[in-house]
Structure formats: structure tokens, C-alpha cells
Amino acid sequence: MLNNDGLSQLGPLQLDALKEVASIGAGNAATSLSDMLNSKIKMTVPNVNLIPIADLPGIIGNEEELIVAMLVRTEGDINGGVLFTLLPDSANLLIQLLVGQKTDIEDELGEFESSALKEISNILTGANLNAFSQMLGITVSPSVPSLEFDMAGAILEVCFIELGQIGDYALVIETEFLSDMEQEVKGNFFLIPEPESLQFILEKLGVASEG
Amino acid sequence: MADLKVGSEDDIIITSGLGSCVGVTLYNKATKIGGMAHVMLPEFPTNRNQGNSAKYADTALDTLLDKLRKKKVNLNRLEAKMAGGAQMFNFSSSNDKMRIGARNIEAVERILQEKRIPILGAEVGGNYGRTMELHNLTGKVLIKTVKHDDIVL
């Protein structure tokens, strides 16, 4: 059906298993964020989908929309990356809640603001990956986050092409979270395993298909 | 992404949010007919015999030329412009596999040279996303970015 290197093995069983892992990881991250902000965080059930690559740049809205994105590369048993994206308003609010200083990253995104955002992404990605490691009994070492503030389409395109399992379709493992505060903090997590690591995860989950 | 379009005089062809992909336009001044491809990877994989031709620089340019030929455009009078091929997130540059933006630029330049299509303008590389518009009426290509002023090629 999908003339696609490697992704053709992903049926409902595999996608469901990935959804479960993603959900546990995101749950852990949401708890850390809750603690950090002292506020309830709601999290959607992760979306695990194969989508046509042409649709990829638009999956979180307008392709040209400005987003801030923190990417943590992973090494060890899973090579790939965890991408954490925020709209500028949400990023401003998170920085303010974390360091107590009002910022406007659309006006200035300097060392200070970047560090704060990278720190947040460190904590959340760490929580996410910890859940993964424990559940699968594996070791994953995260890198120092790198940050980009740019068009959503360009950011997604770069991350998925450089890291992901991408043919005519892309495997998108995505969770959206939402704060319960007066002002909304909304963000997205993307787990992007490299092709061999995807295979490894499926094997660990006991749902790798034969051949 | 991984798509291509051809248009005439009244059309503006747009591709939004180019990252490591390269947008390439071919335009014929006399007829005001032009096309754009948004290519994702340098070349069609040798181990496959079918796939989305618009995705790869080599097959996308061939397909684009075919479409222009069908519109009776003189293929000896084409001019090319290109944009994109950014490198973002400090992906390691030591590993050749990772430099997809640079490889896309290289591939498009090489193929255009082989086909003897002159490159009249390019806004490539760097570390930022781009939106590319081909205005068929004038043949001008507008590049919009978040961090810099608009550029007209």
C-alpha cells in the first residue's frame, strides 16, 4: 500500500504501541511542567499517524507561522530527536513563569531568553525520555538542546528530513499540551526516531513485524 | 513540499516554509510561463523504481521541464532561480548524511548546469526558513523570511 522504505510495516498494532509509549512519555513531561508552573497541565492523547509528506509542514497550523522550537538529539539505544514547539506567546509566558521576568521574544530573543527556553525543554524532554527508558529498559542520552525561532514549515521540514523516517509518508508522533491557567500555554512534542531506532523500539515493544 | 506547479501570466506560484528543501523556478520570459518545484532530497534513490518524482532534485526538474514542454515553452530560453537549502539546529556538519540543505543546493546547481539553464538568482544556504513566490507576470521571485528583509531575485 505504502511504497515506502520501512514505514510499510506500520499497521494499527504498531501505531497503537507507539501511541502508548508516547503517551507515557508525555504524561511524565506534563507532570514536570505542572510542577514547574504550579498549574494543571492537560495533555491530549498522542497522535501517531502516517501522513503524506506534502502535509507535514502544515501539521501545527500555518506553514509560515512563527514558532520557537527546541530540539534535543538523542543517542544511545534510540537515535533521533525530541522536538518541542511553542507559539511566541506561550514561550513568553513560560519564560516569565520560570524566571519572573516579562519578555517578548518577538522583540528580543537573546541569550537570556534562549537559555530559559532551553532549560524548560531540557526538563520536559528529560522527563519524556526517562519514561521511555524505564518502560523499554533502554539507555537514551539527550544532547544539549538547540533552538530555532522561525517558520513552522521550515522547522518541521528540517527536523523530519534530517532525522526522521520519511519516504512518501512521514511518521508523526505528536502530543499537544495545554495549561489550565488564565493565559494559555500551548505546545507540541514530536518524537522523531531515526529509521533503525524505530525498528528497535518496535522490537522492544514486541510488535516488530516479520521480515 | 515535494510538489511542483506550472503557471502562466496571471499566476503567482508560492511555496511556504522552505527549510533544508530547495525551491527552484524555471521561467520563460517570452511566454511568461514558469514553474516551481519544492525538492526535498538530491536524487531519486537507485533502489526504487517508483516514487514521487517531485521529491528529488533530478526527477523534479525533469518533470518540470516536461510540463513546460507540454505548454509549448521553448526550453532553450529558460532562466532558473533558486532558494532554500538552509541548515538549522546546528545539525552536525561532520557527518555528510546530515548536510541535506547543502546537498540539495549542490544537486540543483549541477543539474541546471548540465541542462544549460542559467541561474539568474539564488538565495540559498544560511540558517533560516524562506517562503518563495514566482510572479509569472514579471518573472520576479520574491523571497520572504522571518529574520531578514524581503529579497527580490
Side-chain angles (χ1 to χ4, degrees):
Chain A
M1 175 189 61
L2 306 173
N3 65 10
N4 203 7
D5 344 78
L7 286 185
S8 48
Q9 58 161 322
L10 294 179
L13 180 68
Q14 286 75 22
L15 295 179
D16 271 352
L18 289 171
K19 189 181 268 190
E20 199 173 315
V21 184
S23 157
I24 291 167
N28 234 14
T31 309
S32 318
L33 187 62
S34 262
D35 291 348
M36 199 179 355
L37 304 180
N38 211 2
S39 148
K40 259 193 193 156
I41 298 290
K42 282 181 285 193
M43 180 192 78
T44 62
V45 177
N47 280 311
V48 178
N49 283 314
L50 287 171
I51 64 159
I53 43 165
D55 296 343
L56 180 69
I59 46 177
I60 49 177
N62 187 329
E63 296 171 5
E64 282 185 293
E65 179 143 41
L66 251 183
I67 58 170
V68 58
M70 280 69 69
L71 178 71
V72 172
R73 305 279 302 274
T74 63
E75 282 179 358
D77 289 333
I78 300 178
N79 292 314
V82 181
L83 179 70
F84 170 47
T85 66
L86 291 165
L87 293 174
D89 284 349
S90 294
N92 286 331
L93 192 57
L94 281 182
I95 297 173
Q96 193 188 338
L97 289 166
L98 187 72
V99 298
Q101 189 173 322
K102 228 179 157 74
T103 55
D104 181 0
I105 58 166
E106 286 186 86
D107 186 42
E108 192 190 357
L109 180 52
E111 197 61 38
F112 174 78
E113 293 82 8
S114 296
S115 302
L117 287 170
K118 285 181 185 173
E119 187 51 33
I120 295 166
S121 113
N122 251 336
I123 295 167
L124 299 188
T125 313
N128 211 323
L129 290 172
N130 271 342
F132 247 71
S133 311
Q134 282 174 12
M135 184 177 175
L136 301 177
I138 56 175
T139 316
V140 183
S141 11
S143 70
V144 179
S146 55
L147 178 144
E148 292 286 352
F149 186 41
D150 214 312
M151 299 175 186
I155 284 170
L156 291 167
E157 180 184 288
V158 166
C159 290
F160 276 85
I161 295 174
E162 298 267 11
L163 293 174
Q165 175 81 315
I166 188 165
D168 293 338
Y169 289 75
L171 170 65
V172 176
I173 307 174
E174 182 244 338
T175 314
E176 187 180 311
F177 66 84
L178 205 60
S179 70
D180 211 9
M181 294 178 289
E182 209 169 297
Q183 279 171 286
E184 198 173 77
V185 175
K186 198 178 153 207
N188 300 69
F189 267 112
F190 297 90
L191 302 178
I192 315 173
E194 287 181 9
E196 309 78 50
S197 295
L198 174 64
Q199 183 61 33
F200 176 78
I201 295 169
L202 294 174
E203 279 164 18
K204 277 279 170 189
L205 289 169
V207 292
S209 57
E210 295 296 317
Chain B
M1 175 155 71
D3 200 3
L4 55 85
K5 289 256 155 46
V6 167
S8 50
E9 200 162 339
D10 300 329
D11 297 323
I12 300 173
I13 307 175
I14 304 175
T15 193
S16 301
L18 284 163
S20 54
C21 293
V22 167
V24 50
T25 62
L26 298 179
Y27 181 72
N28 178 272
K29 231 186 232 165
T31 56
K32 300 189 193 300
I33 293 175
M36 181 191 287
H38 179 147
V39 305
M40 215 174 96
L41 296 168
E43 54 204 22
F44 198 88
T46 45
N47 59 355
R48 286 174 61 179
N49 49 18
Q50 54 168 348
N52 175 3
S53 65
K55 209 161 94 180
Y56 309 96
D58 50 358
T59 44
L61 281 164
D62 283 338
T63 311
L64 195 51
L65 285 169
D66 265 354
K67 288 193 173 223
L68 290 168
R69 186 180 296 124
K70 280 184 190 138
K71 297 229 173 220
K72 311 261 188 286
V73 172
N74 181 350
L75 300 187
N76 296 320
R77 291 270 187 277
L78 286 176
E79 43 193 60
K81 291 175 182 172
M82 57 194 283
Q87 188 157 357
M88 296 161 81
F89 287 111
N90 313 318
F91 276 104
S92 151
S93 55
S94 58
N95 183 345
D96 189 52
K97 193 178 145 235
M98 289 301 176
R99 292 169 40 250
I100 289 174
R103 283 170 53 213
N104 282 335
I105 298 169
E106 242 172 55
V108 170
E109 283 175 346
R110 178 178 44 79
I111 295 161
L112 289 172
Q113 198 170 18
E114 281 165 14
K115 298 187 185 299
R116 297 175 192 279
I117 302 171
I119 303 173
L120 258 58
E123 217 284 293
V124 294
N127 60 353
Y128 49 90
R130 298 166 171 92
T131 284
M132 186 183 202
E133 298 183 5
L134 168 62
H135 294 248
N136 277 293
L137 185 64
T138 58
K140 300 261 191 239
V141 169
L142 179 67
I143 312 294
K144 294 183 190 165
T145 66
V146 170
K147 294 166 190 167
H148 305 276
D149 292 334
D150 292 357
I151 293 171
V152 178
L153 299 177

